[in-house]
Amino acid sequence: MRRVLAALVVVVAVLSPSSPAWAHAQLLSSVPAAGAVLPASPGLVTLRFSEELNPSFTTVVVSDAAQRRVPAGQPVIAAATATVAVESPVADGAYTVAYRVVSKDGHTVQGSYPFTVGAAPPAVPPAQAVAGTGSGGVPAAVLAGVVVVGVLLVGLAAYFLLTARRRVGRVQGPGGV
Ligand SMILES: [Cu+2]
């Protein structure tokens, strides 16, 4: 019963776009800021949240455009702020800061944001730009395409199954004495 309740809570939490009833740790600001274009590699990445962080459950990962992890120290927690030291200067390029923290109520909060070192990155195709809202998810257009193809395939399969069954019925019908 408790498991069912827990599952329900998760479903409700996932379905509701924002849960104002629960005060979750929220990223308030960061250095470098989301979308910042820096002239040179940052030495530190600092994230400030809306509530105190638990050092045992705070993860901050910086990765490059190829999703390789940039060597950085363990997050240093001071109240609501987490700071990681970038171990050696990074090359020009696009980077992502991904974080995972645990709210006071025990729920995990995660997110990510990009920043750029050096010149601004080349323009991305519109579909990718739309998806680049920090979720790191699959572009909506691709998802829609997958759904449409899936529905078509299921429809085709159903059609062939039905016609095959009908054909079998026809063949067996007269001969099946
Ligand atoms: Cu919560």
Side-chain angles (χ1 to χ4, degrees), residues 22 24 103 105 107:
W22 294 305
H24 282 169
S103 295
D105 67 359
H107 288 149

Side-chain angles (χ1 to χ4, degrees), residues 32 36-42 62 89-95 114-121:
V37 178
L38 310 177
S41 175
V62 183
V90 297
D92 287 2
Y95 292 88
F115 72 87
T116 303
V117 175

Side-chain angles (χ1 to χ4, degrees), residues 2-129:
R2 286 190 98 171
R3 261 191 207 164
V4 173
L5 276 180
L8 271 177
V9 167
V10 168
V11 167
V12 169
V14 167
L15 288 182
S16 50
S18 62
S19 325
W22 294 305
H24 282 169
Q26 255 187 316
L27 181 63
L28 296 181
S29 63
S30 64
V31 181
V37 178
L38 310 177
S41 175
L44 300 171
V45 173
T46 301
L47 308 180
R48 191 166 65 87
F49 289 87
S50 58
E51 59 178 54
E52 276 185 34
L53 299 173
N54 183 332
S56 307
F57 301 108
T58 300
T59 309
V60 178
V61 172
V62 183
S63 44
D64 66 12
Q67 285 165 3
R68 279 177 310 228
R69 197 170 169 154
V70 170
Q74 285 296 309
V76 175
I77 311 301
T81 301
T83 301
V84 293
V86 176
E87 280 167 12
S88 51
V90 297
D92 287 2
Y95 292 88
T96 303
V97 177
Y99 57 86
R100 189 165 65 229
V101 302
V102 170
S103 295
K104 277 179 186 159
D105 67 359
H107 288 149
T108 301
V109 173
Q110 55 187 357
S112 64
Y113 69 85
F115 72 87
T116 303
V117 175
V124 274
Q128 258 177 301

